Amino acid sequence: MPLNRRAFLEGSAAVGAGAALTAGLAAPAEAREAHAARPRPAKRYSFTVMGTTDLHGNVFNWDYFTDKEFDDKAHNDVGLAKISTLVKQVRAEKGACNTLLIDAGDTIQGTQLSYYYAKVDPITQAGGPVHPMAQAMNAIGYDAAALGNHEFNYGIPVLRKFQEQCDFPLLGANALDAKTLRPAFPPYSMHRLRTPHGRDVKVAVLGLTNPGIAIWDKANVGGKMVFPGLEEQAAKWVPKLRSMGADVVIVSAHSGSSGTSSYGDQLPYVENAAGLVAEQVPGIDAILVGHAHTEIPEYRVTNKETGKDVVLSEPLKWGQRLTLFDVDLVWEKGRWVVEKLGASVLNSNTVPEDPEITGLLADEHKKVVAYVNQVIGTSTAAMTTADAPWKDEPIIDLINVVQAETVKAALAGGAYADLPVLSQASCFSRTARIPAGQVTIRDAAGLYPFENTLEARLMTGAQLKDYLEYSAKYYVRTPAGAPVDTAKLTNADGTPDYNYDAVSGLTYDIDIAKPVGQRIVNLSFEGRPLDPAARFVLAVNNYRASGGGAFPHIAGAPQLWANSEEIRNTLIQWVKAKGTVDPAAFASVDWRLTRDGVPVF
């Protein structure tokens, strides 16, 4: 067909129009594709978990044993009133809805404030008071707290009443009913944090307590509760929490991180197991560590199964520090994933006490101050524990004479009445003192700050020799002729002061130039070498008798008698009964440090 000009022009116009239309449609499509290729910003959310531990009854920045504001060499401060100020600052900075506040245990024992409301004006009495620690922690707004071993010191009824008074759960996944083996306390708590991105973040807090409770508080928990290992129970519960939708799992563990035990082989569990939990149990993001009374701002442990770091932090005891776990999350594949997690601590000596907390408990504080300042007798001379870690001092002899007399009276007329009674005591505080003149309750309480009770155990001379050798490992080996620095002489291999026992009723030298296990020399009873087969009664506190410190023989020794009264109260009643304390009537030098037979002091 011959080409028609008109047809050509019309065809060209149509093609042009089509091309233009195509071009006009193509541009927006390309733009859309380019826009779609641009990555959307990832959804992110951050929150902070604050943590305390080992508060031990400290609300105020106050030392009831010295009756003045708390102070130490590092000028630390203590108490929940200080912690409250720090918590308010963090909530103001982060937004209260983006924070949680938890604790790792040992809450209701340790100060005269906590003792008063357990024993003097107990919370368990009909119409009784609300525990000061419950009042303060409720006011501050705690979200959860793990059980500590000292929670059981006053018996289960006091603990249950405290639990009832708290507005937050007390957690203990490995505190089980002895008969049913079911949790005796809530194992965990689940918390929802709202995000700007639709889906909430679910944070699980798993509480674990210390297996040593079965030994240290056997009198209170025996036949009632059992305490399996932390690793075992964490491995049981963490997967459950993840299956319940937990995006983040925080463990609050009343257990140190070192992997050691102070009760030897009496239980098949580790006392300080937090590091082992992090290493062995997958699915944990962070662990708030307690029990060891050390400061660990941040410690990372790699989980063996996942290869991921678990962040541990332990704030210093008594409210001296507040741990912060800062958690950064990112939304991936339909769920929140931890992108970054770090820990740090805040020092409570940087802030004032919160007047809301001090005002709330002002009356309770005044009652306790009046109580501890009651005069119970007089002393003819001043006594102090300043040198007691390396010298046989009268103030430690005071503890021993009271314990020995109490046991002798208890055994009088019985089958063991004719056996010699020895006594063990430790220097619990290097700042305790009994003044010349008036002696108050706080003086006696400062000498014996723990709620230990008294027992009588049957020991042989050979067993006592082993016992003393074990105790003497407390000293750093120091060659004859080398200078002796008392600041570096004690606490060898981390042995605390409360795990060094002096035994009265025997005489002996401790040769610190010799290796551990060969230090006890000239061991005598009534001026004669100690007969290995001879039998003795040892007056001993329940912590040591139950295996605390892992001293040899004592935990398996026959128990001849036990008392439910605190040794501290026995001391107070003894002073009241005597009226006057005279060191000349009981003080004697039964042991001394030597090197190659030459006294060190």
Side-chain angles (χ1 to χ4, degrees):
M1 178 183 292
L3 186 59
N4 183 290
R5 183 175 181 272
R6 181 178 176 183
F8 173 80
L9 291 174
E10 287 177 353
S12 297
V15 171
L21 180 60
T22 302
L25 291 173
E30 290 170 1
R32 284 197 300 273
E33 288 175 9
H35 179 74
R38 218 178 291 145
R40 293 181 180 178
K43 297 177 181 178
R44 284 184 165 83
Y45 175 70
S46 299
F47 69 97
T48 298
V49 178
M50 298 174 280
T52 55
T53 191
D54 297 279
L55 293 168
H56 283 288
N58 285 281
V59 174
F60 296 84
N61 186 38
W62 192 260
D63 186 341
Y64 292 98
F65 297 138
T66 62
D67 200 26
K68 60 185 179 182
E69 185 175 305
F70 177 87
D71 195 22
D72 61 13
K73 292 179 180 178
H75 301 299
N76 288 302
D77 287 344
V78 300
L80 278 169
K82 291 267 184 172
I83 290 295
S84 182
T85 302
L86 290 175
V87 168
K88 286 182 176 179
Q89 289 181 354
V90 174
R91 285 173 175 161
E93 177 188 348
K94 310 280 187 179
C97 60
N98 300 320
T99 64
L100 293 172
L101 175 59
I102 64 176
D103 182 79
D106 275 6
T107 304
I108 60 171
Q109 175 276 338
T111 63
Q112 287 297 287
L113 179 71
S114 54
Y115 177 82
Y116 187 89
Y117 287 97
K119 291 288 190 176
V120 181
D121 186 11
I123 61 175
T124 49
Q125 63 186 316
V130 177
H131 199 288
M133 294 301 287
Q135 291 191 59
M137 295 174 82
N138 289 341
I140 295 169
Y142 273 77
D143 293 288
L147 294 164
N149 55 285
H150 284 289
E151 258 66 85
F152 295 85
N153 286 172
Y154 297 120
I156 292 174
V158 170
L159 175 54
R160 287 300 190 192
K161 188 63 178 181
F162 175 70
Q163 179 187 24
E164 177 187 316
Q165 293 176 342
C166 291
D167 294 340
F168 51 91
L170 298 182
L171 308 178
N174 62 327
L176 310 181
D177 181 274
K179 294 180 180 178
T180 66
L181 297 183
R182 294 178 178 176
F185 294 85
Y188 67 90
S189 58
M190 193 73 79
H191 309 269
R192 285 184 174 271
L193 299 177
R194 290 198 174 278
T195 76
H197 303 296
R199 183 183 156 182
D200 297 345
V201 171
K202 292 178 71 173
V203 182
V205 178
L206 178 67
L208 297 169
T209 193
N210 206 288
I213 295 166
I215 292 175
W216 304 323
D217 266 306
K218 183 178 180 180
N220 291 326
V221 302
K224 300 174 183 177
M225 293 183 191
V226 293
F227 302 87
L230 283 82
E231 308 100 302
E232 169 193 324
Q233 293 301 303
K236 173 183 176 180
W237 284 100
V238 171
K240 290 184 179 182
L241 297 175
R242 289 293 185 182
S243 69
M244 292 165 61
D247 300 296
V248 180
V249 174
I250 308 290
V251 173
S252 183
H254 193 75
S255 179
S257 61
S258 65
T260 61
S261 286
S262 67
Y263 45 75
D265 57 1
Q266 294 181 78
L267 283 177
Y269 311 122
V270 176
E271 176 183 351
N272 296 303
L276 297 175
V277 171
E279 182 182 78
Q280 297 176 13
V281 181
I284 298 170
D285 295 298
I287 301 180
L288 178 66
V289 178
H291 184 61
H293 288 204
T294 57
E295 181 178 348
I296 306 174
E298 182 183 88
Y299 174 46
R300 292 179 177 269
V301 175
T302 301
N303 183 266
K304 284 184 174 180
E305 183 173 326
T306 66
K308 294 181 178 179
D309 277 358
V310 181
V311 178
L312 286 70
S313 180
E314 182 175 6
L316 199 57
K317 64 187 185 298
W318 305 346
Q320 295 179 32
R321 303 290 187 273
L322 176 70
T323 277
L324 303 184
F325 291 108
D326 290 311
V327 187
D328 296 335
L329 303 175
V330 62
W331 182 263
E332 286 183 358
K333 299 178 181 179
R335 66 189 188 96
W336 290 110
V337 176
V338 174
E339 185 177 39
K340 182 183 177 184
L341 200 158
S344 58
V345 295
L346 302 178
N347 193 330
S348 66
N349 72 7
T350 62
V351 296
E353 290 184 307
D354 183 351
E356 178 186 352
I357 304 303
T358 56
L360 177 69
L361 293 167
D363 288 344
E364 287 83 347
H365 178 64
K366 289 177 183 176
K367 285 182 182 178
V368 176
V369 169
Y371 164 74
V372 300
N373 280 291
Q374 292 180 49
V375 176
I376 56 174
T378 60
S379 177
T380 61
M383 296 179 282
T384 175
T385 57
D387 293 335
W390 48 84
K391 291 182 182 179
D392 188 350
E393 291 288 285
I395 196 167
I396 303 299
D397 292 337
L398 173 61
I399 298 174
N400 277 326
V401 73
V402 171
Q403 291 183 163
E405 287 186 6
T406 302
V407 167
K408 284 177 184 176
L411 297 180
Y416 302 96
D418 293 335
L419 290 182
V421 177
L422 314 177
S423 178
Q424 63 80 223
S426 303
C427 176
F428 293 125
S429 167
R430 298 191 183 194
T431 58
R433 60 185 298 272
I434 300 294
Q438 291 186 336
V439 178
T440 64
I441 285 177
R442 66 179 172 86
D443 297 324
L447 178 58
Y448 214 108
F450 296 106
E451 269 67 59
N452 294 341
T453 56
L454 188 61
E455 296 189 16
R457 296 285 178 122
L458 185 64
M459 301 276 282
T460 67
Q463 290 175 328
L464 287 163
K465 170 71 159 52
D466 291 344
Y467 187 101
L468 290 170
E469 287 285 11
Y470 182 87
S471 184
K473 71 184 179 68
Y474 171 73
Y475 294 104
V476 174
R477 189 175 183 181
T478 309
V484 175
D485 180 357
T486 56
K488 300 176 181 178
L489 179 62
T490 62
N491 309 103
D493 296 322
T495 303
D497 290 349
Y498 61 77
N499 275 342
Y500 170 66
D501 286 1
V503 173
S504 71
L506 301 174
T507 58
Y508 55 96
D509 294 342
I510 303 174
D511 191 330
I512 59 173
K514 295 182 180 296
V516 170
Q518 303 174 33
R519 292 179 167 179
I520 302 301
V521 294
N522 301 323
L523 179 57
S524 303
F525 174 67
E526 293 185 342
R528 298 178 181 179
L530 184 67
D531 180 357
R535 298 196 304 168
F536 298 86
V537 176
L538 181 65
V540 58
N541 70 59
N542 68 304
Y543 172 77
R544 185 72 74 241
S546 63
F551 277 61
H553 309 302
I554 187 66
Q559 183 190 75
L560 308 182
W561 173 82
N563 191 9
S564 60
E565 184 76 13
E566 290 93 351
I567 294 170
R568 173 199 300 144
N569 278 350
T570 303
L571 280 166
I572 291 169
Q573 296 306 319
W574 188 90
V575 174
K576 282 183 176 180
K578 293 287 184 181
T580 300
V581 178
D582 183 3
F586 56 79
S588 62
V589 178
D590 295 331
W591 62 273
R592 61 181 183 170
L593 299 186
T594 62
R595 289 183 295 182
D596 294 344
V598 179
V600 175
F601 301 105

